[in-house]
PDB file of all heavy atoms in Angstrom:
ATOM      1  N   LEU A 100      13.849  24.043   1.207  1.00 88.00           N
ATOM      2  CA  LEU A 100      12.843  23.007   1.051  1.00 88.00           C
ATOM      3  C   LEU A 100      13.412  21.717   0.473  1.00 88.00           C
ATOM      4  O   LEU A 100      13.100  20.609   0.886  1.00 88.00           O
ATOM      5  CB  LEU A 100      11.696  23.494   0.174  1.00 88.00           C
ATOM      6  CG  LEU A 100      10.790  24.647   0.764  1.00 88.00           C
ATOM      7  CD1 LEU A 100       9.858  25.134  -0.315  1.00 88.00           C
ATOM      8  CD2 LEU A 100      10.053  24.164   1.933  1.00 88.00           C
ATOM      9  N   ASN A 111      -2.012  27.558  -8.723  1.00 76.00           N
ATOM     10  CA  ASN A 111      -2.592  28.451  -9.717  1.00 76.00           C
ATOM     11  C   ASN A 111      -1.768  28.463 -11.043  1.00 76.00           C
ATOM     12  O   ASN A 111      -1.981  29.318 -11.888  1.00 76.00           O
ATOM     13  CB  ASN A 111      -2.661  29.901  -9.162  1.00 76.00           C
ATOM     14  CG  ASN A 111      -3.780  30.667  -9.784  1.00 76.00           C
ATOM     15  OD1 ASN A 111      -4.826  30.125 -10.124  1.00 76.00           O
ATOM     16  ND2 ASN A 111      -3.607  31.952  -9.897  1.00 76.00           N
ATOM     17  N   ASP A 135       6.447  43.181  -9.996  1.00 66.00           N
ATOM     18  CA  ASP A 135       5.156  43.793  -9.691  1.00 66.00           C
ATOM     19  C   ASP A 135       5.164  44.542  -8.359  1.00 66.00           C
ATOM     20  O   ASP A 135       4.633  45.662  -8.257  1.00 66.00           O
ATOM     21  CB  ASP A 135       4.066  42.724  -9.657  1.00 66.00           C
ATOM     22  CG  ASP A 135       2.694  43.257  -9.339  1.00 66.00           C
ATOM     23  OD1 ASP A 135       2.195  44.074 -10.167  1.00 66.00           O
ATOM     24  OD2 ASP A 135       2.136  42.919  -8.307  1.00 66.00           O
ATOM     25  N   ALA A 192       8.751  82.192  22.704  1.00 88.00           N
ATOM     26  CA  ALA A 192       9.692  82.659  23.742  1.00 88.00           C
ATOM     27  C   ALA A 192      11.152  82.428  23.310  1.00 88.00           C
ATOM     28  O   ALA A 192      11.986  83.369  23.463  1.00 88.00           O
ATOM     29  CB  ALA A 192       9.442  81.894  25.064  1.00 88.00           C
ATOM     30  N   SER A 202      17.032  77.213  30.280  1.00 85.00           N
ATOM     31  CA  SER A 202      15.979  78.065  30.803  1.00 85.00           C
ATOM     32  C   SER A 202      14.661  77.817  30.112  1.00 85.00           C
ATOM     33  O   SER A 202      13.569  77.951  30.674  1.00 85.00           O
ATOM     34  CB  SER A 202      16.338  79.568  30.642  1.00 85.00           C
ATOM     35  OG  SER A 202      16.573  79.911  29.276  1.00 85.00           O
ATOM     36  N   LYS A 205      12.950  74.958  31.771  1.00 88.00           N
ATOM     37  CA  LYS A 205      12.263  75.371  33.022  1.00 88.00           C
ATOM     38  C   LYS A 205      10.923  76.038  32.667  1.00 88.00           C
ATOM     39  O   LYS A 205       9.957  75.857  33.410  1.00 88.00           O
ATOM     40  CB  LYS A 205      13.124  76.418  33.735  1.00 88.00           C
ATOM     41  CG  LYS A 205      14.424  75.828  34.315  1.00 88.00           C
ATOM     42  CD  LYS A 205      15.234  76.887  35.033  1.00 88.00           C
ATOM     43  CE  LYS A 205      16.505  76.303  35.624  1.00 88.00           C
ATOM     44  NZ  LYS A 205      17.343  77.306  36.306  1.00 88.00           N
ATOM     45  N   SER A 240      10.371  66.210   4.725  1.00 69.00           N
ATOM     46  CA  SER A 240      10.524  64.784   4.951  1.00 69.00           C
ATOM     47  C   SER A 240      11.211  64.159   3.724  1.00 69.00           C
ATOM     48  O   SER A 240      11.549  64.853   2.742  1.00 69.00           O
ATOM     49  CB  SER A 240       9.177  64.104   5.139  1.00 69.00           C
ATOM     50  OG  SER A 240       8.418  64.155   3.925  1.00 69.00           O
ATOM     51  N   GLN A 270      23.469  79.274  15.813  1.00 74.00           N
ATOM     52  CA  GLN A 270      24.428  80.083  16.580  1.00 74.00           C
ATOM     53  C   GLN A 270      24.830  79.392  17.843  1.00 74.00           C
ATOM     54  O   GLN A 270      25.977  79.534  18.327  1.00 74.00           O
ATOM     55  CB  GLN A 270      23.851  81.445  16.839  1.00 74.00           C
ATOM     56  CG  GLN A 270      23.624  82.306  15.625  1.00 74.00           C
ATOM     57  CD  GLN A 270      22.920  83.621  15.951  1.00 74.00           C
ATOM     58  OE1 GLN A 270      22.557  83.835  17.064  1.00 74.00           O
ATOM     59  NE2 GLN A 270      22.731  84.474  14.901  1.00 74.00           N
ATOM     60  N   ARG A 288      31.532  92.621  26.400  1.00 90.00           N
ATOM     61  CA  ARG A 288      32.386  92.124  25.301  1.00 90.00           C
ATOM     62  C   ARG A 288      31.633  92.110  24.009  1.00 90.00           C
ATOM     63  O   ARG A 288      30.477  91.696  23.945  1.00 90.00           O
ATOM     64  CB  ARG A 288      32.886  90.731  25.674  1.00 90.00           C
ATOM     65  CG  ARG A 288      33.882  90.149  24.671  1.00 90.00           C
ATOM     66  CD  ARG A 288      34.404  88.817  25.113  1.00 90.00           C
ATOM     67  NE  ARG A 288      33.305  87.846  25.252  1.00 90.00           N
ATOM     68  CZ  ARG A 288      33.486  86.563  25.631  1.00 90.00           C
ATOM     69  NH1 ARG A 288      34.736  86.143  25.891  1.00 90.00           N
ATOM     70  NH2 ARG A 288      32.509  85.777  25.801  1.00 90.00           N
ATOM     71  N   SER A 294      37.392 103.057  20.593  1.00 92.00           N
ATOM     72  CA  SER A 294      37.222 104.310  19.879  1.00 92.00           C
ATOM     73  C   SER A 294      38.427 104.608  18.999  1.00 92.00           C
ATOM     74  O   SER A 294      38.331 105.406  18.047  1.00 92.00           O
ATOM     75  CB  SER A 294      37.019 105.452  20.856  1.00 92.00           C
ATOM     76  OG  SER A 294      38.165 105.594  21.729  1.00 92.00           O
ATOM     77  N   CYS A 296      40.283 102.124  17.124  1.00 91.00           N
ATOM     78  CA  CYS A 296      40.333 101.320  15.866  1.00 91.00           C
ATOM     79  C   CYS A 296      38.960 100.712  15.520  1.00 91.00           C
ATOM     80  O   CYS A 296      38.848 100.014  14.522  1.00 91.00           O
ATOM     81  CB  CYS A 296      41.343 100.199  16.002  1.00 91.00           C
ATOM     82  SG  CYS A 296      40.969  99.000  17.267  1.00 91.00           S
ATOM     83  N   VAL A 356       3.834 109.391  24.760  1.00 69.00           N
ATOM     84  CA  VAL A 356       3.779 108.055  24.179  1.00 69.00           C
ATOM     85  C   VAL A 356       2.377 107.519  24.129  1.00 69.00           C
ATOM     86  O   VAL A 356       1.949 106.948  23.139  1.00 69.00           O
ATOM     87  CB  VAL A 356       4.702 107.108  25.009  1.00 69.00           C
ATOM     88  CG1 VAL A 356       4.521 105.655  24.541  1.00 69.00           C
ATOM     89  CG2 VAL A 356       6.157 107.514  24.832  1.00 69.00           C
ATOM     90  N   LYS A 361      -2.380 105.823  21.251  1.00 67.00           N
ATOM     91  CA  LYS A 361      -3.828 105.743  21.031  1.00 67.00           C
ATOM     92  C   LYS A 361      -4.207 106.174  19.631  1.00 67.00           C
ATOM     93  O   LYS A 361      -5.112 105.624  19.024  1.00 67.00           O
ATOM     94  CB  LYS A 361      -4.528 106.618  22.098  1.00 67.00           C
ATOM     95  CG  LYS A 361      -4.514 106.031  23.495  1.00 67.00           C
ATOM     96  CD  LYS A 361      -5.254 106.912  24.512  1.00 67.00           C
ATOM     97  CE  LYS A 361      -5.244 106.222  25.889  1.00 67.00           C
ATOM     98  NZ  LYS A 361      -5.939 107.108  26.919  1.00 67.00           N
ATOM     99  N   THR A 370      -7.229  99.181   9.969  1.00 78.00           N
ATOM    100  CA  THR A 370      -6.408  98.214   9.199  1.00 78.00           C
ATOM    101  C   THR A 370      -6.801  96.767   9.547  1.00 78.00           C
ATOM    102  O   THR A 370      -6.924  95.930   8.658  1.00 78.00           O
ATOM    103  CB  THR A 370      -4.910  98.439   9.531  1.00 78.00           C
ATOM    104  OG1 THR A 370      -4.539  99.784   9.210  1.00 78.00           O
ATOM    105  CG2 THR A 370      -4.062  97.455   8.723  1.00 78.00           C
ATOM    106  N   ASP A 380     -12.752  86.868   2.719  1.00 88.00           N
ATOM    107  CA  ASP A 380     -12.997  86.739   1.249  1.00 88.00           C
ATOM    108  C   ASP A 380     -12.171  85.610   0.678  1.00 88.00           C
ATOM    109  O   ASP A 380     -12.647  84.823  -0.180  1.00 88.00           O
ATOM    110  CB  ASP A 380     -12.614  88.037   0.562  1.00 88.00           C
ATOM    111  CG  ASP A 380     -12.778  87.964  -0.936  1.00 88.00           C
ATOM    112  OD1 ASP A 380     -13.902  87.771  -1.411  1.00 88.00           O
ATOM    113  OD2 ASP A 380     -11.725  88.076  -1.643  1.00 88.00           O
ATOM    114  N   LYS A 422       1.457  91.286  12.737  1.00 68.00           N
ATOM    115  CA  LYS A 422       2.232  92.545  13.027  1.00 68.00           C
ATOM    116  C   LYS A 422       1.320  93.576  13.658  1.00 68.00           C
ATOM    117  O   LYS A 422       1.696  94.262  14.597  1.00 68.00           O
ATOM    118  CB  LYS A 422       2.815  93.070  11.735  1.00 68.00           C
ATOM    119  CG  LYS A 422       3.903  92.185  11.138  1.00 68.00           C
ATOM    120  CD  LYS A 422       4.406  92.757   9.810  1.00 68.00           C
ATOM    121  CE  LYS A 422       5.454  91.847   9.201  1.00 68.00           C
ATOM    122  NZ  LYS A 422       5.927  92.354   7.889  1.00 68.00           N
ATOM    123  N   LYS A 456      21.238  91.112  30.480  1.00 85.00           N
ATOM    124  CA  LYS A 456      22.113  92.262  30.374  1.00 85.00           C
ATOM    125  C   LYS A 456      22.343  92.634  28.889  1.00 85.00           C
ATOM    126  O   LYS A 456      22.300  93.825  28.557  1.00 85.00           O
ATOM    127  CB  LYS A 456      23.453  91.974  30.989  1.00 85.00           C
ATOM    128  CG  LYS A 456      23.430  92.059  32.537  1.00 85.00           C
ATOM    129  CD  LYS A 456      24.801  91.786  33.135  1.00 85.00           C
ATOM    130  CE  LYS A 456      24.798  91.923  34.666  1.00 85.00           C
ATOM    131  NZ  LYS A 456      26.095  91.613  35.289  1.00 85.00           N
ATOM    132  N   ILE A 463      19.134 100.026  25.070  1.00 84.00           N
ATOM    133  CA  ILE A 463      19.488 101.414  25.289  1.00 84.00           C
ATOM    134  C   ILE A 463      20.402 101.937  24.159  1.00 84.00           C
ATOM    135  O   ILE A 463      20.182 103.048  23.648  1.00 84.00           O
ATOM    136  CB  ILE A 463      20.186 101.581  26.661  1.00 84.00           C
ATOM    137  CG1 ILE A 463      19.257 101.062  27.776  1.00 84.00           C
ATOM    138  CG2 ILE A 463      20.578 103.049  26.888  1.00 84.00           C
ATOM    139  CD1 ILE A 463      19.944 100.933  29.111  1.00 84.00           C
ATOM    140  N   ALA A 475      40.003 106.516  29.198  1.00 92.00           N
ATOM    141  CA  ALA A 475      38.988 105.889  30.076  1.00 92.00           C
ATOM    142  C   ALA A 475      37.640 106.621  30.063  1.00 92.00           C
ATOM    143  O   ALA A 475      37.119 107.017  31.102  1.00 92.00           O
ATOM    144  CB  ALA A 475      39.495 105.778  31.521  1.00 92.00           C
ATOM    145  N   SER A 483      18.391 104.570  21.820  1.00 78.00           N
ATOM    146  CA  SER A 483      17.133 104.028  21.306  1.00 78.00           C
ATOM    147  C   SER A 483      16.142 105.188  21.217  1.00 78.00           C
ATOM    148  O   SER A 483      16.289 106.218  21.878  1.00 78.00           O
ATOM    149  CB  SER A 483      16.604 102.941  22.242  1.00 78.00           C
ATOM    150  OG  SER A 483      16.250 103.511  23.437  1.00 78.00           O
TER     151      SER A 483
END
Side-chain angles (χ1 to χ4, degrees):
L100 293 174
N111 208 31
D135 180 63
S202 59
K205 293 180 181 179
S240 67
Q270 293 175 357
R288 183 177 58 178
S294 60
C296 64
V356 172
K361 288 181 177 179
T370 303
D380 177 64
K422 293 177 182 178
K456 282 182 178 178
I463 302 169
S483 67

